[in-house]
Amino acid sequence: MNSVVIAAAGSGKRFGTDIPKQFHMLGGRPILVHTLEKFESCDAVDEMVIAVSEGHLERAERLIDDAGFAKVSAVVAGGDTRTLSVANGFAAVSNDADVVAVHDAARPFVTPDEITAVIEKAAETGAACLVAAVVDTIKEVSGGAIVRTIDRTKLRRALTPQAFRYSILEKALADVVGDATDEAVLVEMLGVSVACVEGSGRNIKITTPDDILIAESFLRSENEI
Ligand code: CTP
Ligand code: MG
């Protein structure tokens, strides 16, 4: 069986609203519900554990009940950092899970096909990360001037989900200190190779209020398909 931990315990400082961005409404439903729907409808996923901040546990449980998501096995309190939230979620995952994926609640435009591809790659190789191409020319700068131009064909943006064999993620999250912006880096630090799965640039992380404008138009086009 395969599980997913949804990291939904952030406070959304850059988004700037009182209520964390994962509860912000998009097309009449909270962003978190859009995200969970993608995993609920993905045949490769058997179980979902959601990490939300202590003060939003009840709100999240209510949303999940109302939406009738059958795969949610636990809603747990997250931590002060994303890594701690993922570690708390991982602790509630069934220990007979083969592959455990981790996903940002703030990425509602992931597709069930992308989720399946990442889980299948992790089952085969041990660790996999959804990535997208870099479209801008990237410069290394110092003291206000360009030092060099980096070959962007070698660069990828790390998206989520990222998926790992249970034992690999268990090791990566053991004794975590500090905060990492994703799980792949923790697995890289173990010396384990992380395979890339090319994903769509549409899988944006809603971070600032401007992202809602983009999200609304993506949602419209999703609904037209
Ligand atoms: N996250 C989490 N626990 C934390 C911090 C973040 O579960 N302590 C989650 C967020 O809810 C989000 C994902 O990690 O779904 C990606 O993080 P980010 O986009 O940085 O969200 P926030 O930390 O909420 O936003 P900000 O950094 O602007 O405060
Ligand atoms: Mg953050």
Side-chain angles (χ1 to χ4, degrees):
M1 67 168 291
N2 303 317
S3 305
V4 59
V5 174
I6 304 286
S11 57
K13 283 191 198 71
R14 287 168 289 179
F15 197 74
T17 45
D18 286 343
I19 180 169
K21 61 189 180 184
Q22 55 275 27
F23 298 107
H24 188 86
M25 300 300 264
L26 178 64
R29 285 173 322 149
I31 288 170
L32 177 63
V33 170
H34 286 279
T35 303
L36 295 180
E37 213 158 60
K38 300 295 175 53
F39 288 85
E40 179 79 17
S41 66
C42 176
D43 290 341
V45 173
D46 302 292
E47 172 189 70
M48 307 195 262
V49 173
I50 328 293
V52 295
S53 62
E54 195 95 51
H56 292 95
L57 282 167
E58 270 177 38
R59 179 192 287 264
E61 277 162 3
R62 211 171 38 241
L63 288 177
I64 289 159
D65 276 354
D66 290 351
F69 293 131
K71 294 181 183 174
V72 177
S73 63
V75 182
V76 302
D80 287 343
T81 65
R82 184 182 179 287
T83 311
L84 289 173
S85 296
V86 172
N88 289 356
F90 181 75
V93 164
S94 310
N95 51 19
D96 58 348
D98 299 304
V99 167
V100 182
V102 180
H103 185 72
D104 295 326
R107 293 186 190 273
F109 295 109
V110 66
T111 66
D113 283 351
E114 287 174 328
I115 298 165
T116 302
V118 175
I119 288 176
E120 282 179 354
K121 193 56 140 181
E124 182 193 322
T125 65
C129 177
L130 193 67
V131 300
V134 171
V135 294
D136 293 311
T137 300
I138 304 291
K139 308 290 187 187
E140 183 181 327
V141 298
S142 178
I146 292 170
V147 176
R148 64 176 66 84
T149 302
I150 300 172
D151 178 7
R152 74 172 176 219
T153 61
K154 289 188 183 161
L155 301 180
R156 293 293 183 277
R157 296 184 296 120
L159 312 176
T160 70
Q162 304 184 354
F164 312 93
R165 266 188 217 128
Y166 183 93
S167 57
I168 292 177
L169 188 57
E170 185 179 39
K171 215 187 257 178
L173 292 172
D175 312 317
V176 279
V177 278
D179 191 17
T181 51
D182 71 356
E183 285 57 56
V185 67
L186 302 175
V187 169
E188 290 160 43
M189 286 183 324
L190 295 177
V192 173
S193 169
V194 181
C196 291
V197 173
E198 300 287 337
S200 162
R202 277 200 172 205
N203 182 6
I204 57 166
K205 181 164 68 65
I206 294 175
T207 304
T208 66
D210 278 353
D211 293 328
I212 286 294
L213 302 174
I214 302 168
E216 278 165 355
S217 78
F218 283 171
L219 187 68
R220 265 195 304 278
S221 81
E222 238 184 30
N223 293 338
E224 278 160 14
I225 291 168

